[in-house]
Amino acid sequence: DAKTTQPPSMDCAEGRAANLPCNHSTISGNEYVYWYRQIHSQGPQYIIHGLKNNETNEMASLIITEDRKSSTLILPHATLRDTAVYYCIVRVEGSARQLTFGSGTQLTVLP
Amino acid sequence: GAVVSQHPSRVICKSGTSVKIECRSLDFQATTMFWYRQFPKQSLMLMATSNEGSKATYEQGVEKDKFLINHASLTLSTLTVTSAHPEDSSFYICSAGTGKTEAFFGQGTRLTVV
C-alpha cells in the first residue's frame, strides 16, 4: 500500500469547515484513498473513500487532485464531536485486506 | 453501516492470567477479521488476520502462542491473551470486512494487566 503523509495536528473553530490534507505521491492506479477517524478510546470509524472523482456523503467530502497525488477531507461544519485523529489510508479496494494506519492528524475543534 | 461488537470494553486482570476478547459481526458474515493493538499515543498496529475455519496469520513479532485467535464462525472471532503481563496492557481493536469496500471496527477493549 502507498505511503501517506499528514500533518500531525490541526485546529478548527466550531461551525467552520475543517480541511484535512493528505499527500500520497506514490499512489498506484488501482489504489483508493480511504479516510477513517478515531475518537479517543474508541475504534476507528469509516468516513469516506474514493478513487479519482470527488466524493461526498453525509459525513464529509473527499477532494482528490487530478494527478491523485494528494487529497483533502472536508468536514463542512465541524462540531466538538468531530475532535479525533483522522487517518488517510491508500490501498486497493476491498475490506478483506488489512488497513495500515499511519500517525494521522489530530483534529481539535475549538468552541 | 455494518455493526461490529467487541466485548468486553475494558478489563483488568492479574499478571499471569488469561483474558479472552470477543469480536462479533452483528448483521453480516465476516470471513476475515483483523486484530489490532494500540499503545498510548501510537497508531493502530495489525497483530493478526483471522480467517474463518483456518489458522490465523500473525504479523512479524507477534507471538502466536501468547495471542490465541479463534475464528470458529462467520460472525465471531476471539483473541485470548495468555499469561498476560503488564507490558500486554493496551487497547485491542478488531475489524471485520463486509465483503463490500470498507471495513468496520469494534469499539475496542482496554486491557490493563496489574
Side-chain angles (χ1 to χ4, degrees):
Chain A
D1 298 337
K3 183 179 178 180
T4 62
T5 304
Q6 299 177 253
S9 64
M10 292 182 63
D11 292 341
C12 174
E14 187 178 19
R16 306 295 287 268
N19 298 287
L20 292 95
C22 180
N23 287 321
H24 32 79
S25 59
T26 60
I27 190 170
S28 299
N30 63 342
E31 289 182 315
Y32 286 68
V33 181
Y34 283 80
W35 283 85
Y36 284 79
R37 72 180 183 184
Q38 185 179 24
I39 295 170
H40 183 64
S41 294
Q42 296 184 23
Q45 176 188 23
Y46 166 81
I47 301 174
I48 198 168
H49 77 286
L51 182 63
K52 55 182 178 181
N53 297 319
N54 298 337
E55 302 287 345
T56 296
N57 63 20
E58 64 277 6
M59 289 184 68
S61 294
L62 173 60
I63 308 298
I64 302 173
T65 57
E66 191 169 344
D67 63 7
R68 302 209 322 122
K69 293 184 177 182
S70 65
S71 61
T72 302
L73 177 74
I74 301 173
L75 308 179
H77 304 286
T79 70
L80 299 179
R81 288 176 293 180
D82 292 321
T83 293
V85 178
Y86 287 76
Y87 296 99
C88 168
I89 300 170
V90 174
R91 47 163 282 186
V92 297
E93 193 176 36
S95 57
R97 300 176 70 247
Q98 73 271 19
L99 291 166
T100 301
F101 288 84
S103 44
T105 296
Q106 170 67 59
L107 174 69
T108 302
V109 181
L110 304 172
Chain B
V3 178
V4 176
S5 177
Q6 194 172 335
H7 178 81
S9 59
R10 60 177 62 235
V11 58
I12 300 173
C13 72
K14 291 185 177 181
S15 186
T17 62
S18 296
V19 173
K20 179 183 285 188
I21 303 169
E22 293 187 348
C23 180
R24 294 180 182 273
S25 55
L26 297 186
D27 52 359
F28 65 96
Q29 295 183 329
T31 55
T32 303
M33 290 185 176
F34 303 95
W35 288 95
Y36 296 82
R37 179 169 54 182
Q38 186 176 32
F39 291 107
K41 298 188 183 302
Q42 294 186 22
S43 191
L44 285 79
M45 294 296 295
L46 180 69
M47 297 177 65
T49 302
S50 168
N51 296 296
E52 187 267 336
S54 65
K55 292 183 178 180
T57 303
Y58 291 82
E59 295 299 298
Q60 189 173 9
V62 178
E63 300 175 56
K64 62 179 181 179
D65 294 330
K66 180 170 184 61
F67 299 99
L68 301 179
I69 292 173
N70 183 276
H71 194 159
S73 76
L74 288 171
T75 59
L76 174 64
S77 177
T78 61
L79 168 68
T80 301
V81 183
T82 63
S83 186
H85 291 284
E87 56 265 31
D88 299 322
S89 297
S90 188
F91 192 51
Y92 293 86
I93 308 166
C94 70
S95 77
T98 64
K100 297 180 181 178
T101 57
E102 66 270 21
F104 292 90
F105 289 80
Q107 310 95 310
T109 297
R110 175 76 59 192
L111 171 63
T112 303
V113 184
V114 298

